[in-house]
Amino acid sequence: MNQTPTHQSLQPEFRLLVFLVSIGFFMQGLDTTIINTALPAMAQSLNENPLRMHGVVISYVLSVAACIPLSGWFADRFGVRNTFFSAIVIFTIASLGCGLSQNFSQLIFFRVLQGIGGAFLLPVGRLALLKIIPRTQFLSAMSMMSLAGLVGPLLGPTLGGFLVEKATWHWIFFINLPIGLLGVLVTFKAMPNVTEPTVKKFDLSGFILLVVAMVGLALGIESITSKEVSRTLSISMLVAGVIASLVYAYHAHTHQNALFRSKLFKNQVYTIGILGNFFARLGGNAIPFLMPLLLQVAFNIDPFITGLMMTPVVLGSLFSKPLVRPIIQKLGYRKFLIINTLMVGACIASFSLTTEATPVWVRAIHFFIFGTLNSLQFVGMNTLTLKDLPQQDASSGNSFLSMIMMLSMSIGVALAGTLLNAFTNYYGTDHMTKAFHVSLLCLGCINILAAFIFKQIPKDTSV
């Protein structure tokens, strides 16, 4: 009699492989959050306006978004080990370059390079586990790897503030060097170079269209209020982004080899999930960038204390994990996502009520509630988006979702920076706090509007 395979604990021969993939996951998670508390110190060192430092975040996240479609094809064509090894080497060298940067332009260049390495670390690492580890042990492997992904963001804000105060901002990048070196040494021992016997031709024209679309939209929004970039150039980038998006939509419908075929969007729930993910993440992804700036630039709070204050966001995220499934089972996806989207929007808008005199314990509870609601939102949206995809579309559907998540983060940070600069110009630098408050209100309202997308979820959508 055949028995269904049960989930087993991880065998010793796979532990080093999971440790290696966890290194990549940890590095990417740490790097996404460690920089936010260091931005004002970096601005001072590089003689830049701290309100214009969002380019450092956008350049990294946008590079990750742009290169995600490449990761799976490279791993199939050149092997998971070779691709993962190259990713760690690129990421580590770029980290060294970021730390040694003497001006803003050099830093942006190496952040782009770091983003290219980061784009491959997580998807290729996950793919390696999927191809090498037996199904019965896969759940144990993913659980171990997820822990590393949580530790990175948990340490990031506080570690960033600590390094800025006790050393210099350069060390937020140098800290990657020993971790990257360890990953390089372990790769050839732990990961076999699994390749695919047949790999379809890469959709280069589609990839270029996607890159133009993402870069045009993000940089167009980011530079629209900049005094260094002409309004004509900003609008031209936005128009180029929109046109490239429309051309890619046609390409996806007609090109057999397209990276993401248009048939993906025949699935109504997937389409709603993608749109919801994009718009409902704009405000939530801007908060980890915007709040450390508010605390340091407007309220003059030290970087280390700022980092500590941001920690409850991650603790709220951890607290929410066991709650997601029971809440969605009770309310259903439609009701849950409408209510939670409204609550996240209201929470973002309520940050506009904080002042320099707000007690630390009130800030901690506020951040904890935001972290909980935001994590519930992300997990709910992601599971809704992928739950009904047929097996043959799972890989490309998941890659497209990952790309949209990173694109939304880069546009969210660009939008936050643009709003902040526009309101600072309007109210004047003497009323910096007011500029932050109005920006937060706008981001909260955008999030509330995303609830209309989730109203389109069919009422009979099952959990």
Side-chain angles (χ1 to χ4, degrees):
M1 194 168 109
N2 289 332
Q3 289 186 319
T4 307
T6 54
H7 294 299
Q8 300 169 0
S9 58
L10 205 60
Q11 296 297 316
E13 67 264 29
F14 298 121
R15 283 178 188 160
L16 194 60
L17 173 63
V18 175
F19 172 70
L20 171 64
V21 175
S22 298
I23 289 173
F25 201 4
F26 174 80
M27 285 171 79
Q28 199 195 37
L30 183 70
D31 214 75
T32 309
T33 55
I34 197 172
I35 198 165
N36 292 320
T37 40
L39 288 175
M42 292 165 76
Q44 191 177 9
S45 168
L46 298 170
N47 296 315
E48 286 287 328
N49 181 344
L51 303 187
R52 299 200 184 280
M53 290 299 286
H54 47 286
V56 179
V57 180
I58 294 165
S59 54
Y60 175 79
V61 179
L62 198 54
S63 304
V64 173
C67 292
I68 281 173
L70 280 171
S71 60
W73 187 86
F74 262 75
D76 289 345
R77 176 74 177 78
F78 301 106
V80 287
R81 184 187 64 205
N82 291 348
T83 308
F84 192 81
F85 178 78
S86 303
I88 286 195
V89 169
I90 291 168
F91 191 91
T92 308
I93 290 171
S95 297
L96 177 64
C98 288
L100 295 175
S101 295
Q102 299 297 305
N103 56 52
F104 191 67
S105 300
Q106 286 176 14
L107 182 59
I108 293 292
F109 172 78
F110 284 111
R111 282 291 279 173
V112 169
L113 195 61
Q114 200 180 31
I116 293 168
F120 286 78
L121 280 177
L122 185 53
V124 175
R126 200 159 36 200
L127 191 64
L129 297 186
L130 197 59
K131 289 187 173 190
I132 296 161
I133 291 177
R135 282 289 173 275
T136 52
Q137 297 171 51
F138 186 66
L139 191 63
S140 300
M142 289 301 287
S143 299
M144 283 177 66
M145 192 184 86
S146 297
L147 277 175
L150 291 169
V151 171
L154 187 62
L155 286 177
T158 310
L159 186 59
F162 176 79
L163 290 172
V164 166
E165 277 195 28
K166 301 300 177 187
T168 64
W169 65 264
H170 307 84
W171 283 93
I172 68 169
F173 297 110
F174 292 151
I175 200 168
N176 286 328
L177 302 185
I179 307 170
L181 190 61
L182 179 63
V184 165
L185 295 172
V186 173
T187 302
F188 279 88
K189 184 171 174 56
M191 190 181 285
N193 195 40
V194 181
T195 55
E196 288 295 320
T198 54
V199 182
K200 65 179 184 180
K201 189 181 174 190
F202 185 69
D203 176 22
L204 184 61
S205 54
F207 174 68
I208 291 168
L209 283 170
L210 281 174
V211 171
V212 172
M214 289 189 279
V215 171
L217 291 170
L219 296 192
I221 291 169
E222 188 229 358
S223 61
I224 200 86
T225 57
S226 171
K227 292 187 173 106
E228 289 83 36
V229 180
S230 72
R231 186 66 56 87
T232 308
L233 180 59
S234 298
I235 293 169
S236 300
M237 285 192 284
L238 277 170
V239 170
V242 171
I243 291 171
S245 303
L246 295 172
V247 174
Y248 184 81
Y250 176 75
H251 174 85
H253 189 64
T254 56
H255 199 282
Q256 281 298 314
N257 229 20
L259 285 165
F260 306 109
R261 296 296 315 279
S262 60
K263 66 175 183 174
L264 272 174
F265 302 99
K266 288 179 181 171
N267 184 319
Q268 186 192 5
V269 170
Y270 181 80
T271 306
I272 293 167
I274 288 291
L275 283 171
N277 256 291
F278 179 76
F279 287 102
R281 284 174 179 271
L282 293 173
N285 283 326
I287 293 301
F289 157 74
L290 209 54
M291 290 310 291
L293 274 183
L294 172 64
L295 295 173
Q296 290 181 77
V297 175
F299 298 163
N300 297 311
I301 295 171
D302 292 337
F304 179 62
I305 303 299
T306 298
L308 279 177
M309 284 182 179
M310 295 303 294
T311 305
V313 175
V314 187
L315 295 176
S317 175
L318 291 173
F319 172 74
S320 75
K321 297 299 179 201
L323 303 178
V324 182
R325 190 164 178 76
I327 295 175
I328 292 176
Q329 281 177 329
K330 185 168 177 61
L331 297 176
Y333 279 108
R334 186 175 185 272
K335 193 181 286 186
F336 166 74
L337 282 168
I338 291 171
I339 294 169
N340 203 71
T341 304
L342 295 172
M343 288 171 73
V344 173
C347 191
I348 292 168
S350 69
F351 281 121
S352 64
L353 301 173
T354 58
T355 66
E356 210 167 340
T358 302
V360 172
W361 66 270
V362 173
R363 277 198 222 285
I365 292 170
H366 203 166
F367 281 133
F368 182 82
I369 292 169
F370 170 73
T372 303
L373 291 172
N374 211 37
S375 180
L376 288 171
Q377 182 80 12
F378 289 177
V379 175
M381 291 189 301
N382 290 357
T383 49
L384 171 81
T385 307
L386 299 174
K387 75 182 195 71
D388 289 339
L389 275 186
Q391 189 61 41
Q392 68 268 25
D393 294 333
S395 177
S396 106
N398 188 41
S399 291
F400 190 75
L401 173 61
S402 300
M403 189 185 79
I404 287 295
M405 282 157 55
M406 299 308 286
L407 177 63
S408 179
M409 188 188 290
S410 61
I411 289 181
V413 172
L415 184 62
T418 296
L419 287 169
L420 189 54
N421 284 316
F423 289 124
T424 303
N425 291 338
Y426 181 76
Y427 292 114
T429 49
D430 294 340
H431 299 282
M432 187 77 74
T433 303
K434 191 165 188 182
F436 273 102
H437 284 170
V438 182
S439 301
L440 287 161
L441 276 171
C442 291
L443 290 168
C445 290
I446 290 167
N447 215 86
I448 287 167
L449 290 172
F452 288 103
I453 295 170
F454 297 118
K455 276 193 81 174
Q456 310 310 312
I457 299 170
K459 288 182 181 177
D460 59 350
T461 302
S462 60
V463 177

